[in-house]
Amino acid sequence: EAQVTQNPRYLITVTGKKLTVTCSQNMNHEYMSWYRQDPGLGLRQIYYSMNVEVTDKGDVPEGYKVSRKEKRNFPLILESPSPNQTSLYFCASSLSSNSPLHFGNGTRLTVT
Amino acid sequence: DQQVKQNSPSLSVQEGRISILNCDYTNSMFDYFLWYKKYPAEGPTFLISISSIKDKNEDGRFTVFLNKSAKHLSLHIVPSQPGDSAVYFCAANAIDLSSGGGADGLTFGKGTHLIIQP
């Protein structure tokens, strides 16, 4: 089944403790992206990647890192999480940056 | 500055009637527009799209209309069904000429919560 898989689905952590949210897609998509969804703000892009080893900042990249060492994986790294990063995170992929995105089911992160 | 605006946070429509969700944009470089539907505890799913060379695209009960001069698009759902109750996101994309033609990602609106009443 074609899908985008994020792990974990839920995560509660403390300020400053490094964490990684994994994202994997099995559709051989070139384009991958991370979004966060916050009440009243909709979906905002954090980082995106056009292809392996090519990443770029989205609209709200501060406090996040990503890597794209292989086509299928696009992990989101929070080196030192802060409470304002409490949010619902979505990973997405598409054939190209002009194709419709396929989203994962989300990771709800709480930073205390 | 919000480039994609969905000014109605929620919309309530009776089952069987037409639902019309609106979206306005400010960036004249946007040339590809999409609608996504999102249920609670799930990721958004792609619904329908339209390129700027068209003014209408239809897929079953869903039709998207684009008015480029007004920088406005709308999603029509007819007839509305209970399973259509969800949050709908409008999104737009622009070709980034400075990077050789590759777009730099979608810009989403804040979403409209559609409630279909029986």
Side-chain angles (χ1 to χ4, degrees):
Chain A
E1 182 191 349
Q3 58 186 4
V4 177
T5 304
Q6 294 177 230
N7 279 299
R9 288 295 308 273
Y10 302 92
L11 180 58
I12 301 174
T13 189
V14 296
T15 299
K17 187 176 180 184
K18 180 180 178 180
L19 66 92
T20 299
V21 184
T22 63
C23 174
S24 180
Q25 50 93 6
N26 62 1
M27 295 169 279
N28 202 35
H29 283 168
E30 289 192 350
Y31 183 87
M32 296 187 76
S33 185
W34 276 102
Y35 291 85
R36 60 179 287 175
Q37 184 186 5
D38 301 289
L41 295 176
L43 288 160
R44 295 179 295 167
Q45 190 181 49
I46 303 170
Y47 266 94
Y48 64 95
S49 170
M50 297 283 220
N51 213 325
V52 175
E53 301 291 2
V54 180
T55 63
D56 213 338
K57 295 177 180 178
D59 297 319
V60 287
E62 294 78 21
Y64 304 95
K65 283 174 56 176
V66 292
S67 71
R68 188 92 183 272
K69 295 189 174 122
E70 38 187 356
K71 202 169 191 177
R72 62 183 294 127
N73 295 323
F74 191 44
L76 180 70
I77 303 150
L78 284 73
E79 295 272 3
S80 183
S82 62
N84 66 10
Q85 292 178 298
T86 292
S87 186
L88 179 57
Y89 290 87
F90 289 102
C91 179
S93 72
S94 61
L95 210 54
S96 72
S97 55
N98 284 324
S99 306
L101 287 166
H102 297 254
F103 282 85
N105 280 331
T107 295
R108 185 165 290 283
L109 172 65
T110 302
V111 183
T112 61
Chain B
D1 177 36
Q2 202 183 345
Q3 297 188 68
V4 177
K5 298 177 187 176
Q6 294 178 256
N7 291 319
S8 300
S10 67
L11 175 67
S12 184
V13 174
Q14 203 163 9
E15 182 179 357
R17 302 257 183 172
I18 183 170
S19 295
I20 300 176
L21 294 98
N22 293 304
C23 178
D24 297 291
Y25 62 96
T26 57
N27 188 341
S28 57
M29 297 300 289
F30 286 150
D31 62 354
Y32 183 52
F33 304 89
L34 307 90
W35 284 94
Y36 284 83
K37 175 180 179 179
K38 184 183 179 305
Y39 293 119
E42 293 182 13
T45 54
F46 169 69
L47 197 55
I48 193 169
S49 64
I50 188 166
S51 157
S52 60
I53 60 172
K54 292 184 170 183
D55 55 15
K56 176 183 174 182
N57 189 24
E58 194 171 349
D59 183 4
R61 296 185 298 113
F62 302 92
T63 303
V64 56
F65 295 92
L66 175 62
N67 182 334
K68 281 190 69 180
S69 61
K71 293 192 177 68
H72 176 84
L73 65 154
S74 60
L75 174 68
H76 292 212
I77 307 173
V78 55
S80 300
Q81 299 174 354
D84 296 330
S85 294
V87 176
Y88 290 79
F89 290 100
C90 170
N93 207 349
I95 298 297
D96 180 5
L97 299 176
S98 66
S99 66
D104 63 354
L106 291 175
T107 300
F108 283 85
K110 293 183 179 181
T112 297
H113 185 192
L114 176 65
I115 301 159
I116 305 301
Q117 295 183 333

